[in-house]
C-alpha cells in the first residue's frame, strides 16, 4: 500500500490528536454487555465467536462508513453508513468512552429472524447511550472498493489518506465477533500488543 504508507508524519499526528488515538483510547460506556443468548431451563447457553476485520473510514466533513470483512482482500460481510458526521464520532471517541448499539424492530423493518442481521436495511443508532441517528446498509461503491483495495495490506492502524475530495480518515482493527443468537451479534475490538487494554464495541440487536 504505497500511498497509505507514505502519508506525511504531520498528517498522522494531526489525525491521532483529533481522534485521540482511536486504537488506544476506547472503553465501554453505555449499559450494553456482550451479546449472550440466555438459556431457558431446558436449553444450554450457546455463544460462538470468531475474528473479523473492521474498518471505519470517512471524510472529515462527511459521514462515517463501517465495513466488516473476513479477509481484507475479499468482499465485505457488511457495509454500513452512519448518518452522523465523522467529526461527531471523533468527539465521542476523544473521551475514551465509546460503544455503538444498532437496533431494529423485526416487525417494523419486515425482517424476521430467518433474515440475516447483515440484510437489515436500516438500524437505529445509539452512541454512548444516546440515539444519534441511523445506520444504513448499502452496496459497495467504486470509491469504497478503491479505498479498501488501498488498505488491503493494513491489518491494524489509523491514519489519513489524502484524496482529491479531502482527507479520508480511517481506523482498522481486528474485532472478536460474538454471535449470541439469530437476533444478536456483537463486535469487540482486539487491543493491539502494548495497548492499555481498553475496549470499543459494536452491538447489533433485533427485537
Amino acid at each position: 500500500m504505497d500511498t497509505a504508507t507514505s502519508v506525511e508524519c504531520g498528517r498522522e499526528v494531526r489525525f491521532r490528536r483529533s481522534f485521540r488515538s482511536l486504537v488506544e483510547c476506547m472503553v465501554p460506556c453505555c449499559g450494553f454487555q456482550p451479546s449472550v443468548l440466555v438459556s431457558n431451563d431446558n436449553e444450554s447457553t450457546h455463544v460462538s465467536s470468531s475474528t473479523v476485520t473492521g474498518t471505519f473510514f470517512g471524510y472529515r466533513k462527511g459521514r462515517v462508513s463501517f465495513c466488516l470483512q473476513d479477509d481484507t482482500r475479499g468482499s465485505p460481510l457488511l457495509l454500513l453508513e452512519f448518518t452522523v458526521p465523522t467529526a461527531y464520532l471523533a468527539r465521542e471517541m476523544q473521551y475514551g468512552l465509546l460503544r455503538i448499539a444498532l437496533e431494529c424492530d423485526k416487525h417494523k423493518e419486515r425482517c424476521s429472524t430467518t433474515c440475516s442481521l447483515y440484510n437489515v436495511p436500516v438500524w437505529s443508532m445509539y452512541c454512548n447511550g444516546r440515539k444519534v441517528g441511523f445506520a444504513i446498509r448499502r452496496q459497495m461503491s467504486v470509491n469504497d472498493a478503491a479505498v479498501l483495495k488501498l488498505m488491503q495490506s493494513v491489518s491494524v492502524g489509523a491514519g489519513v489518506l489524502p484524496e482529491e475530495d479531502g482527507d479520508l480518515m480511517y481506523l482498522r482493527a481486528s474485532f472478536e465477533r460474538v454471535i449470541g443468537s439469530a437476533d444478536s451479534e456483537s463486535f469487540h475490538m482486539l487491543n493491539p500488543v502494548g495497548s492499555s487494554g481498553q475496549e470499543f464495541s459494536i452491538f447489533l440487536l433485533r427485537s
Side-chain angles (χ1 to χ4, degrees), residues 44-79:
S44 61
T45 301
H46 175 71
V47 174
S48 64
S49 65
S50 58
T51 301
V52 296
T53 297
T55 307
F56 289 86
F57 59 96
Y59 294 102
R60 293 181 186 275
K61 297 182 180 180
R63 293 179 175 180
V64 180
S65 293
F66 177 61
C67 174
L68 282 174
Q69 294 169 287
D70 272 330
D71 183 343
T72 56
R73 297 181 183 276
S75 299
L77 297 171
L78 177 67
L79 179 60

Side-chain angles (χ1 to χ4, degrees), residues 129-145:
R130 298 185 300 275
K131 186 173 182 180
V132 295
F134 300 92
I136 302 170
R137 180 177 64 86
R138 62 183 179 82
Q139 297 298 315
M140 185 168 60
S141 67
V142 173
N143 186 60
D144 294 330

